[in-house]
Amino acid sequence: MCVYTLQLHFLPQQKKKIKMKDKTMNIFFFFFFTCFFSIFSPLNARNVSPLPSFSGSAPQNRIPAVYAFGDSTLDSGNNDYITTLFTGDHLPYGRDFPGHAASGRFTNGRLTGDFLVSYLGLKRALPPYLAPNLSDQELLSGVSFASAGTGFDELTAQTTSVINMDTQIRYFRDYLGKINKIDGAQKSAEIIKNGLFVISAGTNDMVFNYYDLPLRTVQYSLPQYHDFLLHRLESVVQRTIGSLLPGQHILQRICTEKQNLDTQAYNQKLQNLIQRFQATLPGSIFAYTDCYGPMMDMVINPSKYWFEVTGQGCCGTGMIEMGFLCSGLLPACSDASKYMFWDAVHPTEATYRTLASILQQSVLPRFLV
């Protein structure tokens, strides 16, 4: 079968250790877009209740905060505050975001993290940690530490000049100090232990270091590089007691059976690691969710999701434009909701909404009882 090329992802970060006995509800989400059909049943968008708008009230026994780590799938604007070419700080990015201005997100509107905090009744969108003048309430209800272009491998962030995982962890430690001052150590600890940690990264590692720029091929065979990345992931989980949301980027619109099989092999290792996490970290909740099924269903059956175009992005030609190449100087489609992808790599808000709806119905109930 000819499918879009999907790569691996995951994410890491933090330094200060939190004793497991103090943790009663550390939540892990795993979104992993694998290059094969899984047993996960894609939800028909016509049957998926849209995520409710922010109402200011959350479900009973609510999650008090959401924390996002990783790459562009969760970066709500942190890259706007560093020196890098990987920024979404210009139109047409953000044209459908509230205010119709570029927010730093690599899409036309909101990301999955934004929909999650809205559903939980926390706020309308998940702000970037590096944004200046965040209110106390914005800090207490969660932020994104993610940075577009990063990965688990330190070499990835060096290549793209973005925020690496260790720095994201350091930012999280700084964040803990801030909320301790705002709400006191006891209350802030309660927020953290019941918080939802979402991690999405790994694609850039495979792209920059193995496939497109084979910087790691001399050191590692592909199975060895998978193991290296999973070891980094395991270290992250041990340090953050967070949550993992491997994300996915579509890099080429060609058949790549070899990479599909590579990803399938990685996925199996990842699931084995998750089982080990659950066995050795009983104070946490882990959830593995394969979202590749829904993504592929969107590609194969676009009308079910009200999409008209899945083979190219909305910006420019939709084949090569992303980041600074996707600019207001280029034409863009008039209605991004009909497109699965916003630029040559990143999904539209409509796609993120559907994925968030799947999370809402299939995963979040585990944590809201």
Side-chain angles (χ1 to χ4, degrees), residues 11 27-30 69 196-199 240-245:
L11 221 176
I27 303 169
F28 286 71
F29 276 160
F30 287 82
F69 301 84
L196 171 64
F197 291 75
V198 182
I199 301 177
T240 61
I241 309 301
S243 141
L244 215 176
L245 163 56

Side-chain angles (χ1 to χ4, degrees), residues 92 312-319 321 325-327 330-333 342-343:
Q312 66 187 64
C314 172
C315 183
T317 66
M319 302 302 292
E321 295 86 357
L325 293 178
C326 176
S327 72
L330 297 176
C333 67
W342 171 246
D343 59 19

Side-chain angles (χ1 to χ4, degrees), residues 36 263-273 275 288:
F36 66 100
T263 305
Q264 183 174 355
Y266 171 85
N267 249 21
Q268 185 57 57
K269 291 182 179 181
L270 175 60
Q271 292 182 64
N272 293 339
L273 178 60
Q275 292 176 5
Y288 177 95

Side-chain angles (χ1 to χ4, degrees), residues 40 153 176 181 232 235 274 311 329:
F40 183 87
D153 191 336
L176 293 176
K181 293 180 180 179
R232 287 283 298 159
S235 174
I274 293 169
L329 300 177

Side-chain angles (χ1 to χ4, degrees), residues 97-98 105 107-112 114-115 124 349 352-353:
F97 193 78
R105 293 165 174 80
T107 188
N108 59 303
R110 291 163 290 180
L111 301 171
T112 300
D114 299 315
F115 288 117
R124 292 178 174 83
E349 178 185 82
Y352 281 123
R353 175 186 286 273

Side-chain angles (χ1 to χ4, degrees), residues 346-358:
H346 303 98
T348 58
E349 178 185 82
T351 300
Y352 281 123
R353 175 186 286 273
T354 298
L355 295 177
S357 295
I358 292 169

